[in-house]
Amino acid sequence: MALPGFNVNKVPTVQTKVIEEIVDYLNKQAGTKYKYTAKNTVKYITARLKEGYTIEDFKYVIDVKVAEWGGTNMEMYIRPQTLFSNKMENYVNQPMPRSNRASYQVENDYKHNTTNRRI
């Protein structure tokens, strides 16, 4: 017997899989436990996907903000509603913090087009 409101026959959509991948990456990088099914999380990510942002853009924003805010009083803002709000354009165009540039560049050049970034 299924739980009320839980449809066992529902097949995940491509968008659901993309949102799940983004949220899983955030949780891994930030040590958090956000759910990819949360209404606000879906709303913010879906809005940015409709604007044309890619999975790599989301991952870059997560990496930049974890590098910048991790271990500081801003760490509490490493969350979907902050990272993927209408400020995402600013975040995706922000350079990687100096201390993380070299290692990030080597690891991720093939994943994220950095040609338009100030590095």
Side-chain angles (χ1 to χ4, degrees), residues 2 7 29 35 63 85:
N7 184 353
Q29 298 303 106
K35 295 181 180 180
D63 290 339
S85 70

Side-chain angles (χ1 to χ4, degrees), residues 31-65:
T32 54
K33 295 181 181 180
Y34 291 104
K35 295 181 180 180
Y36 72 94
T37 55
K39 188 185 281 188
N40 270 339
T41 299
V42 171
K43 177 179 90 173
Y44 287 110
I45 294 174
T46 301
R48 301 301 79 83
L49 288 170
K50 285 181 181 177
E51 291 175 358
Y53 290 104
T54 65
I55 292 172
E56 290 75 22
D57 291 330
F58 284 91
K59 289 180 178 182
Y60 181 78
V61 167
I62 292 165
D63 290 339
V64 166
K65 289 307 175 185

Side-chain angles (χ1 to χ4, degrees), residues 47-104:
R48 301 301 79 83
L49 288 170
K50 285 181 181 177
E51 291 175 358
Y53 290 104
T54 65
I55 292 172
E56 290 75 22
D57 291 330
F58 284 91
K59 289 180 178 182
Y60 181 78
V61 167
I62 292 165
D63 290 339
V64 166
K65 289 307 175 185
V66 166
E68 182 182 5
W69 292 343
T72 72
N73 61 345
M74 294 295 288
E75 189 170 44
M76 67 179 158
Y77 297 110
I78 302 173
R79 59 187 183 189
Q81 86 180 62
T82 303
L83 300 178
F84 313 137
S85 70
N86 57 0
K87 292 183 182 180
M88 186 162 162
E89 182 177 9
N90 295 330
Y91 298 154
V92 81
N93 286 296
Q94 180 180 340
M96 181 61 65
R98 276 197 192 279
S99 61
N100 296 60
R101 280 187 194 178
S103 63
Y104 183 84

Side-chain angles (χ1 to χ4, degrees), residues 105 109 112-119:
Q105 201 65 37
D109 263 349
H112 193 80
N113 179 359
T114 59
T115 55
N116 294 327
R117 300 204 191 304
R118 293 176 289 133
I119 304 266

Side-chain angles (χ1 to χ4, degrees), residues 6-49:
F6 183 77
N7 184 353
V8 292
N9 297 321
K10 185 175 179 185
V11 178
T13 63
V14 172
Q15 183 172 321
T16 302
K17 293 219 177 255
V18 168
I19 293 169
E20 183 176 7
E21 181 178 342
I22 292 166
V23 174
D24 285 348
Y25 188 80
L26 171 61
N27 288 335
K28 179 182 172 198
Q29 298 303 106
T32 54
K33 295 181 181 180
Y34 291 104
K35 295 181 180 180
Y36 72 94
T37 55
K39 188 185 281 188
N40 270 339
T41 299
V42 171
K43 177 179 90 173
Y44 287 110
I45 294 174
T46 301
R48 301 301 79 83
L49 288 170

